[in-house]
Amino acid sequence: MTIGAADISDALERLGVRSADTLFVHSGLRSSLRVAGATAHEKLATVLEGLRGAVPAGTLVLPTFSYSFCRGEVFDVDATPSTVGALSEWFRRRQGVRRTAEPIFSAAVEGPVAAEWNAPLFTVSDKDCFGPESIFAYLRATEAKLLFYGVGFESCTYVHHVEQTLGVGYRYVKDFAGTVRAGGVQAHVTARYFVRNLDDDVEVYLSPLGERLQCRGGAQTVVLPGGPRLLLTNAAAVGAEVERALAENADFLLRRGHVTAA
């Protein structure tokens, strides 16, 4: 059975995505062999058509993270490739898609963005990766739906925005300075990144959070016949569940928080 764009759009509608929503998509395509298309590019186009078809009046956002800025390389908004999957790289290069100017956790955006968010997201300047003017704060402000297309909940980068907001003790702010290029113009900027404390036992472990969300009705799943599993939640549900979980167990988002003593 071939999976068409309409099948993807219909599945997202059943999960609760509405036409004017902001939809943020983490993706993996290993389970998408049955997606319509004779070539890899045609399959990518089908998936994106299905995602866009679910939010025709809304905003589609895909992560285009790249960590080369942390190694001292120039971040070129127009040219630095995404390191988080073929779909995000294909999407960021589409006509009409804008990429945010944050040099570590950038995102590609297609669709309307409120005027007050244009400068924080797209202007080259000092950035706080998970801070109050980040793409993750935008997801919270727009009550975005978070989709995991063919990947597990361990991909949920939005959690780190919640961790920073709550001030978890196992992370700290580290500044990375370097050059960002956009439209042929270069600027020296600083990106503030809420990093893990590598001198401590800090291994991120988000699967229990995903399971908890599903058990409590904060996330829903559907499997396309012969294709990928789609898991849908939203920024508000993730934020509320993280806050509750950390109040019970400060290490809930870490593997050490789930180790049973012998």
Side-chain angles (χ1 to χ4, degrees):
M1 177 183 292
T2 300
I3 300 169
D7 298 316
I8 297 170
S9 298
D10 291 347
L12 292 176
E13 183 178 1
R14 294 197 303 274
L15 286 172
V17 175
R18 298 295 175 254
S19 64
D21 280 343
T22 296
L23 182 64
F24 184 74
V25 184
H26 288 285
S27 62
L29 300 178
R30 288 186 177 180
S31 55
S32 290
L33 291 177
R34 294 194 177 184
V35 167
T39 67
H41 286 173
E42 289 176 356
K43 291 181 186 295
L44 289 171
T46 297
V47 173
L48 284 177
E49 182 183 348
L51 297 174
R52 197 70 184 106
V55 287
T59 304
L60 181 62
V61 185
L62 270 67
T64 53
F65 307 158
S66 57
Y67 303 98
S68 56
F69 184 81
C70 299
R71 300 191 296 270
E73 298 178 21
V74 173
F75 175 69
D76 190 315
V77 173
D78 300 317
T80 298
S82 167
T83 64
V84 286
L87 189 68
S88 66
E89 175 63 8
W90 176 267
F91 178 64
R92 79 161 186 89
R93 298 172 68 180
R94 283 210 318 188
Q95 186 172 4
V97 172
R98 294 190 291 167
R99 190 185 198 178
T100 63
E102 198 277 284
I104 305 174
F105 292 94
S106 66
V109 182
E110 183 179 59
V113 173
E116 63 268 23
W117 279 98
N118 275 304
L121 293 179
F122 300 108
T123 299
V124 175
S125 61
D126 293 342
K127 301 293 185 185
D128 185 337
C129 301
F130 300 122
E133 293 188 333
S134 67
I135 188 65
F136 305 101
Y138 170 80
L139 298 178
R140 183 187 66 216
T142 57
E143 301 179 344
K145 302 288 176 60
L146 310 180
L147 174 66
F148 302 84
Y149 177 99
V151 294
F153 194 78
E154 62 273 9
S155 299
C156 189
T157 317
Y158 179 78
V159 165
H160 306 319
H161 167 68
V162 183
E163 288 178 313
Q164 179 167 321
T165 301
L166 296 175
V168 298
Y170 50 81
R171 289 182 177 270
Y172 66 98
V173 172
K174 182 174 181 178
D175 288 349
F176 291 87
T179 300
V180 172
R181 182 184 299 127
V185 177
Q186 291 192 168
H188 187 79
V189 306
T190 297
R192 298 177 66 81
Y193 181 0
F194 199 47
V195 299
R196 293 178 295 146
N197 184 356
L198 297 181
D199 293 329
D200 198 358
D201 178 21
V202 181
E203 181 182 355
V204 177
Y205 185 45
L206 300 183
S207 294
L209 178 64
E211 294 167 4
R212 179 167 167 150
L213 277 164
Q214 291 180 70
C215 289
R216 299 188 176 199
Q220 297 77 38
T221 63
V222 66
V223 178
L224 295 174
R229 173 178 178 263
L230 311 184
L231 185 152
L232 186 80
T233 184
N234 61 77
V238 172
E241 204 58 58
V242 167
E243 188 165 1
R244 283 192 291 265
L246 291 180
E248 299 166 11
N249 174 2
D251 289 337
F252 185 85
L253 302 177
L254 306 178
R255 189 168 294 277
R256 72 189 185 198
H258 301 273
V259 175
T260 303

